[in-house]
Every structure is written in C-alpha cells, then in structure tokens.
Amino acid sequence: MPPVPGRGLGLFLRGAGVSPGIGAGPVRTLAGAVPEPPVGARHGGDAAAEKAAAAAALEAVAADLEERGERAAALGNKDGQEVLGAQALMARDPGLADGVAAKIDSGLAAARAVFEAFGTYRDMLASAGEYLAARVSDLDDIRDRTVARLMGLPIPGVPVSDTPFVLVARDLAPADTALLDPELVVAFVTEEGGPTSHTAILARTMGVPAVVALAGAMELAEGTRVLVDGAAGTVRIDPSEDEVRTARDASAARAALLRESTGPGATKDGHRVPLLANIGGPKDLDAALHHGAEGVGLYRTEFLFLDRATLPSDDEQERAYRTVLEAFPEGRVVVRTLDAGADKPLAFLPPPGEEPNPALGERGLRMARAYPDVLQAQLRALAAAASGLPARLEVMAPMVTDADEAAFFAKACRAAGIERPGIMVEVPAAALRARDLAAEVEFFSIGTNDLTQYACAADRQIGGLAPFQDPWRPAILDLVAMTAGPAADAGRGCGVCGEAAGDPALACVLVGLGVTSLSMSAPSLPLVRAALARHTLDECKRAAAAARKARTAGEAKDAARAELPLLAELGL
Ligand code: PEP
Ligand code: MG
C-alpha cells in the first residue's frame, strides 16, 4: 500500500516513510514564525524595567547565537560559526540598543520597541546593495528570537539539546538543518513535504529516519516520547520499552544483513547496474564512499550555492568540482549544471520576471539560457577541474524539454571541452519524445521526482499531495519505459537519479524497464544493492511488466513484489 498521509488510529500516526530506520526520543519542535507584536502596544509605565527586559533579551539572544556558533564549529561547520558570530555582533550593536531604548521611552512595550527598532535597520540594509540585502534575513532572525523571548513564545530555529531528540517541524529547509548534529537528531517528522521534498532527500543523505506528510505533527506536545519508523511511515506516541526494543532489534537485524551487501551493483545473474550516489557537494563524499558508491550519478551543484548572495568565483567552483572528481578516480561523476528556481531558489539568479507558479517557470536549463554567462562559467570550471584527472566527467542539464534545448546544451558543453554531455529527463514532453533527444546527447538520467510532479500535476512541496507524487504510479513507469527504450536503441545509457532509484523494490522494477544505472542518496545504496543481488534480470523484467499492467500505484507495488519474493529476506 502506498503511504496514506493522515492520522492513524489510537496512538499511531501515519505519514509517508521516506528514510528507513528507527528513532525513539522526546519531541523537540522547530518553532514556526513569530507574530508581529501588536502595533502601538504600550508598556505599563515602568520604562526602566522595560528597557532592562529588552537589553536582557538581546544579550540572551547574542549569547545563544555565540553558543550555537561554537557547536557548529565543533561539528566542523566553520562557515556556520562565522554567520552566527556576525549575528551575535548585530544583536549587541549599541546603536540598536539606543534605538530600542528611545522607543521604550516614547511609551512602546519592549517587544514592539524591538520590532520597530529592527525595522529601521532592516530598511537601511535592504537598500544597501545586493550583499547587505541578503543579510536582512539574518537580522529578521535576531529580531524574531528577541521578540519571542520578550513575549514568552518558543524560540524559532532548531532546538538546542544535549540529549537525543526527534525533530518535529512543519517542513525543513536546508538552512534549518545546517547545525544539526546527526548524533543527536534520532529522527525527523514533518507535517509537510512529500517523498521527493528536500526534507526527505536531506534525511536520507544524513541517514536519519524520517516520516513526512504527517498530519497533526505540529500538535505533538514538546517532550512527548515517540517511536519513529522511517520505513513504515509511522509515529507511535508513548511507546513501551518493549516496543522500542523490538523495533530496534528488527532494524539492527536488517542493518547486519546490509553490511554483507558490498561490491558493484548487479542482478543475481550478473547483469551489471552501476550504483551511484546523489550528492550536494564534497561534504557528502564520505557517506558515498562509505556506502560503496561506484561513482556520482547526480551532483546537485546548486546545493553548494543555496545560501550565497553572489555567484561563486571560477576558482571556488573548480576546487569543489575537483574534490568530487578526485574521490572517484575510476568512476563516473555526473555533474548537473545549476538547477536554480522553484524549490531551489538562488539569490544570485532571480527569475527574470514575476512567477505565479515557479515550478512551471524559469528554472533549470531555462534559467541557464536566461543567464548564459553563468552556464559558461560553470562549464569552464568543470572542464578545468577534470583536466588531468582520470575520472570520467559527464555533465547534464536539468529541466530539458525538447531536442533543441538538448542540442543547445550539448553544443555549450563541447565548446567548453566537455565530451560527455547529457540531460535529465524530468519533463514529460522530453520522455514522450526521447527518440529525438537521444540523438543530441550521450546519456539520459531520469529525474523521477520532477517527472512525477509534472506528469501528475502535483507540487512536490505540498505534503497533502504525497499520494500523487508516488513514482509507483503506472503512468510514471510508462514514461520511464518510453525513455529507456529509445535510449537503448540509440546506444545511450539511461540512468535514474530521482528518489525512486533508492526504493529497493522500485529499483528492481526500473532495471526491468531498461534503466542502466541507479543513483540515490548514499544510505539507500546497501539496501538497493542487496535487493538487486537477490533477483535475476528476468525477475526484474517480470516485476516491471506486472507493475505496468496495474491500474494504481498500490496495485503496481503489490504486483511487482509478488515477482520479487526475496525482498522479504530484507524485511521489505
Ligand atoms: C528529480 O527531479 O528527480 C531530480 C533528481 O532532481 P531534483 O530532485 O534535484 O529536482
Ligand atoms: Mg529535478
């Protein structure tokens, strides 16, 4: 059965399990937005006490930011420490304190005075050029933390804790998680987000069990003990010690089996299927190597630059790319050019116009065509990074729609000295006309996350639409087959790098549909390797045919599993 988001019965909540594993601990909530203190709110007459409260709140915020900075540094995140240190300085700015005091003297309550004093700074920064404008969100963060303290509200941002906890949030942005210590966060639970949302991708990358699209998650009281099963998609409230132990034992048994799953990817009868890692930058290389990736199948380069106000220099790009290429001296490294826009906005590449539906707007290769200098700089840096190294560099464009776009990209790559240009197939139009596109490039990589989003007209960021974003839908399997067939006819490789590749049963089906390599978040590799190794290519083909005959995603999954009997050995 596909995961059904929504409340379960009794003490079980059910959402979509997106990162396998068991995590048990108390709930800590990522607090939401802090409301604006009421306009004109006045204090009771004791201005001195009000000023003291405001000063104490600002100092507490500064000290807390500093402490977070030290924790970030201890986790090896020096950049994070710098940002937090700069924020602490802003909180201690004497000019700001004077502004707050003057507003309190005029009768305003401390929270309102803080809100307005920050407003003056905010306007100055916002109009002071691109770099400083990007600091506005840092300032808003300090303001919200201070106002929350003064109003007795939960402090926004990732909770600080010395003991392990389950992080509960409406949704998680990459910035929220920069400071997370995977040793302390035993599971993620979010109310929003589907199986292909960035919360899900991030959880798999960090190897943290996660359940998303869980209705009612934000109503879980702070400190409630929960047991999260990231494979089943369930959250058990107040579990007994026995339940926690049983769940942990089952999870440990599977982990032991997986430790034996090593070596290159292949079916039981030796049909090779390279298993590659999806990465967001050099920081993900350790996990990729640890889980036995044979190369990189998707390097999401925009992840390097998500929090940047300006385009990184050629040198900086080249260094990052070279580090990745050096990690796989004998493997393939597939780098995707910037996929800016929609769910991955980049401050330095704003969409050229107003976009009511960003997912249907200027993104991916469309954005690269709007900013040709950015594309050229990236291709130049990639070619320079690969020169003299033995790794096989392949470069692909995101969000390609037709053969003309594919030809444009291939030409730009070759002009920069990149010999193996490819494209992502994630727009249904590209899948439907795969034959035309295969003539233009060296390889395809199917992005099932966006392919599903677009084929089912279901925004991947909306948790309530999770059932529509299910790549098991026979319509999506048809599109994969329509892509893989013409690719094979033209002698082109056709991988899958969407999250579907990391689902062990679906991975077998994809291979049966003619997919030639699978790329996924590194922690998913062992289970996929083990599932493939237990089944022959014929079994995979039979599973694929059975799934395509089904009418619904649930039926497709059941039909495929009936042809893949040894998944049960893996507890699947
Ligand atoms: C996809 O769309 O399937 C994909 C791999 O790209 P992203 O998730 O980065 O959009
Ligand atoms: Mg995509």
Side-chain angles (χ1 to χ4, degrees):
M1 283 284 292
V4 182
R7 272 177 195 288
L9 291 173
L11 295 173
F12 264 106
L13 298 179
R14 181 173 286 278
V18 294
S19 180
I22 299 293
V27 164
R28 295 266 177 273
T29 310
L30 184 78
V34 177
E36 177 178 337
V39 178
R42 301 183 70 77
H43 60 72
D46 188 349
E50 207 71 5
K51 280 192 255 183
L58 279 166
E59 177 50 34
V61 167
D64 177 47
L65 289 165
E66 260 172 4
E67 203 241 344
R68 281 169 183 259
E70 276 154 30
R71 290 162 63 90
L75 291 171
N77 184 349
K78 287 274 175 213
D79 292 350
Q81 186 184 27
E82 258 176 46
V83 171
L84 291 161
Q87 274 189 302
L89 277 180
M90 286 189 209
R92 290 200 177 107
D93 187 288
L96 182 73
D98 289 350
V100 172
K103 296 212 180 266
I104 292 175
D105 281 336
S106 78
L108 285 183
R112 183 69 207 175
V114 165
F115 187 86
E116 290 191 9
F118 269 90
T120 317
Y121 265 64
R122 194 178 194 287
D123 296 345
M124 270 159 45
L125 272 188
S127 57
E130 200 182 347
Y131 177 75
L132 288 178
R135 303 276 75 82
V136 166
S137 60
D138 297 352
L139 199 64
D140 288 350
D141 180 46
I142 307 166
R143 178 198 65 199
D144 291 347
R145 286 167 183 278
T146 315
V147 168
R149 278 181 187 272
L150 287 166
M151 294 175 76
L153 299 170
I155 308 293
V158 173
V160 180
S161 173
D162 292 332
T163 50
F165 62 97
V166 172
L167 181 64
V168 175
R170 192 163 299 289
D171 206 353
L172 288 172
D176 294 327
T177 50
L179 299 182
L180 285 181
D181 179 350
E183 299 288 313
L184 285 179
V185 185
V186 293
F188 290 154
V189 175
T190 64
E191 187 149 329
E192 292 292 330
T196 60
S197 64
H198 283 284
T199 300
I201 294 171
L202 208 96
R204 284 189 286 266
T205 306
M206 291 173 72
V208 173
V211 174
V212 303
L214 187 94
M218 292 300 282
E219 288 156 36
L220 287 169
E222 198 73 1
T224 311
R225 271 184 60 74
V226 291
L227 170 65
V228 180
D229 183 335
T234 54
V235 173
R236 174 90 168 98
I237 299 172
D238 277 333
S240 68
E241 285 308 317
D242 257 8
E243 282 171 310
V244 173
R245 200 171 319 110
T246 311
R248 286 218 168 109
D249 286 352
S251 181
R254 183 206 273 182
L257 253 181
L258 293 183
R259 274 195 291 280
E260 293 160 18
S261 137
T262 52
T267 58
K268 190 174 173 185
D269 52 336
H271 172 72
R272 279 277 288 127
V273 183
L275 299 179
L276 311 164
N278 289 354
I279 65 167
K283 67 179 185 347
D284 297 331
L285 287 171
D286 284 350
L289 293 165
H290 172 73
H291 292 291
E294 294 169 58
V296 171
L298 167 62
Y299 178 177
R300 290 184 165 98
T301 53
E302 62 283 347
F303 273 38
L304 268 178
F305 312 129
L306 275 179
D307 56 351
R308 300 283 295 258
T310 50
L311 179 70
S313 69
D314 286 14
D315 275 359
E316 189 182 347
Q317 291 199 55
E318 190 184 322
R319 270 198 307 280
Y321 303 148
R322 185 170 268 268
T323 309
V324 173
L325 287 157
E326 281 171 347
F328 289 99
E330 274 148 38
R332 271 174 81 194
V333 174
V334 182
V335 181
R336 176 173 76 186
T337 53
L338 291 177
D339 186 14
D343 57 338
K344 312 178 200 79
L346 292 182
F348 57 87
L349 283 184
E354 186 74 4
E355 294 197 338
N357 290 309
L360 302 181
E362 301 266 5
R363 56 167 296 199
L365 183 63
R366 299 172 191 176
M367 192 73 102
R369 296 190 85 169
Y371 295 96
D373 294 354
V374 173
L375 176 66
Q376 273 155 24
Q378 188 172 26
L379 295 177
R380 238 184 359 253
L382 280 165
S387 93
L389 292 183
R392 188 165 90 171
L393 171 68
E394 305 192 349
V395 181
M396 65 182 180
M399 293 294 298
V400 175
T401 308
D402 59 28
D404 276 352
E405 281 193 339
F408 161 85
F409 184 72
K411 192 168 167 209
C413 283
R414 293 201 170 101
I418 293 163
E419 283 156 23
R420 291 194 50 79
I423 53 162
M424 288 197 67
V425 175
E426 48 186 353
V427 177
L432 291 166
R433 300 296 300 196
R435 189 167 308 281
D436 298 338
L437 281 77
E440 304 296 344
V441 290
E442 301 294 323
F443 68 96
F444 288 163
S445 183
I446 304 177
T448 44
N449 306 340
D450 278 314
L451 190 60
T452 310
Q453 154 165 271
Y454 294 122
C456 299
D459 189 326
R460 62 195 268 195
Q461 298 196 90
I462 300 181
L465 296 178
F468 285 104
Q469 295 147 353
D470 191 337
W472 276 99
R473 285 178 169 261
I476 307 305
L477 304 180
D478 284 351
L479 286 168
V480 170
M482 275 179 202
T483 309
D489 293 346
R492 309 290 191 239
C494 177
V496 168
C497 65
E499 296 303 302
D503 169 336
L506 189 46
C508 294
V509 167
L510 294 171
V511 169
L513 292 171
V515 162
T516 57
S517 63
L518 297 165
S519 189
M520 64 204 76
S521 308
S524 304
L525 285 162
L527 207 49
V528 168
R529 188 183 293 115
L532 273 180
R534 280 168 173 69
H535 298 98
T536 63
L537 179 57
D538 260 356
E539 283 174 312
C540 293
K541 284 185 179 164
R542 281 203 295 276
R548 283 186 74 192
K549 278 204 199 104
R551 282 177 60 250
T552 66
E555 287 171 20
K557 201 183 233 177
D558 290 345
R561 295 175 68 90
E563 302 290 342
L564 301 167
L566 294 185
L567 289 177
E569 274 187 17
L570 300 167
L572 296 168

